[in-house]
Amino acid sequence: RPVYEHHLERQIITRFRQRSMPFLDRGLSDEWDTFFLMQHYEIPTRLLDLTENPFIALYFAVMDAKVIGTRRRTRYGSDACVWALDPVKWNHQSLSNQSYRGGILAPEDDAIRAFKPGGDFSGIYPVCIYGSHNSRRIVAQRGVFAVFGKGNTSMERLHGKRPFTDSCLVKIVINRRFIRRIKDSLLRSGITESTIFPDLTGLAHEIRREFGYGGL
């Protein structure tokens, strides 16, 4: 796996902008717009996907849980979890050296310049940022992001250590015995593959599960 450095990031962004044009129905406005779209299509970026909707987070936690057994006798090999983040408190602590007292950042904010795609991303700790709603999936999933700078330490490992307090990131463990019940409740409530991924791929996965092909 290549080391993700600023010169490599510039090359990836340039390559994507050059070759994505025939597949887009609109132009890419700037580097941030490009960055969010790259993340959507699973190109390596410094972005971490977050959601403002707790039910969306719960969906991903239980749907990705590892299943052991058959459709009739299903059990899960381990607990699932959801991380609850206070993005405003996190940003205050991440940017404490700037005495930042704002909220979730936007690409045009001065405090985000140290994280600009294609730049030297000199920011030390990840910060929480609103992204462009440039895909139906981001809209459906109420997507927001954490963007990392030059440090690659996970938010899980950072929280509880200076300058971060325990209260800005909390781990909620879902006992494996309740995963099936929660999963069924979400699906009955209409939080399904085709609503999380509002495209033909999402619909196809939903139909496969409903008819017993790959999905418990």
Side-chain angles (χ1 to χ4, degrees):
R1 182 180 178 181
V3 177
Y4 198 87
E5 297 177 343
H6 58 87
H7 66 277
L8 177 60
E9 180 172 279
R10 282 197 295 270
Q11 292 173 3
I12 294 174
I13 290 174
T14 299
R15 180 69 57 86
F16 182 78
R17 291 179 71 93
Q18 289 172 338
R19 300 196 177 184
S20 63
M21 293 176 63
F23 308 107
L24 300 176
D25 55 9
R26 62 173 185 83
L28 295 169
S29 59
D30 57 21
E31 288 86 353
W32 281 111
D33 192 23
T34 305
F35 217 43
F36 298 130
L37 196 60
M38 285 169 53
Q39 175 75 1
H40 170 66
Y41 286 105
E42 300 182 1
I43 296 174
T45 71
R46 291 177 283 115
L47 295 170
L48 173 67
D49 292 303
L50 305 171
T51 178
E52 296 177 300
N53 188 327
F55 293 103
I56 302 296
L58 192 59
Y59 170 91
F60 281 107
V62 298
M63 294 297 281
D64 290 342
K66 185 177 181 180
V67 178
I68 299 174
T70 65
R71 188 173 181 85
R72 290 187 177 181
R73 293 183 59 83
T74 300
R75 62 189 178 91
Y76 291 87
S78 61
D79 297 335
C81 76
V82 171
W83 287 93
L85 172 70
D86 183 333
V88 175
K89 184 179 291 185
W90 181 278
N91 280 356
H92 290 174
Q93 295 171 6
S94 180
L95 301 173
S96 58
N97 61 325
Q98 302 180 32
S99 300
Y100 180 74
R101 302 308 301 169
I104 301 175
L105 292 157
E108 61 271 15
D109 291 337
D110 289 339
I112 204 72
R113 288 182 179 177
F115 299 85
K116 184 179 179 180
D120 60 4
F121 47 87
S122 57
I124 300 174
Y125 301 117
V127 294
C128 300
I129 179 174
Y130 286 119
S132 303
H133 279 201
N134 56 12
S135 77
R136 287 181 294 175
R137 288 189 179 185
I138 293 178
V139 175
Q141 296 171 17
R142 294 294 300 274
V144 290
F145 302 92
V147 58
F148 284 70
K150 64 181 179 181
N152 59 4
T153 304
S154 68
M155 297 172 77
E156 177 182 356
R157 292 182 59 189
L158 286 172
H159 95 286
K161 301 177 182 178
R162 294 185 63 185
F164 300 99
T165 62
D166 286 324
S167 60
C168 63
L169 184 63
V170 177
K171 184 178 184 179
I172 303 170
V173 176
I174 303 167
N175 189 289
R176 71 188 75 181
R177 292 180 297 150
F178 303 110
I179 292 177
R180 163 57 66 186
R181 193 181 307 172
I182 294 171
K183 185 176 180 179
D184 289 344
S185 178
L186 287 170
L187 294 174
R188 286 196 303 270
S189 300
I191 302 177
T192 66
E193 294 88 342
S194 64
T195 55
I196 301 295
F197 304 102
D199 49 36
L200 284 176
T201 300
L203 176 60
H205 281 256
E206 184 172 311
I207 292 173
R208 284 177 59 86
R209 174 184 54 76
E210 288 180 343
F211 286 88
Y213 293 95
L216 298 173

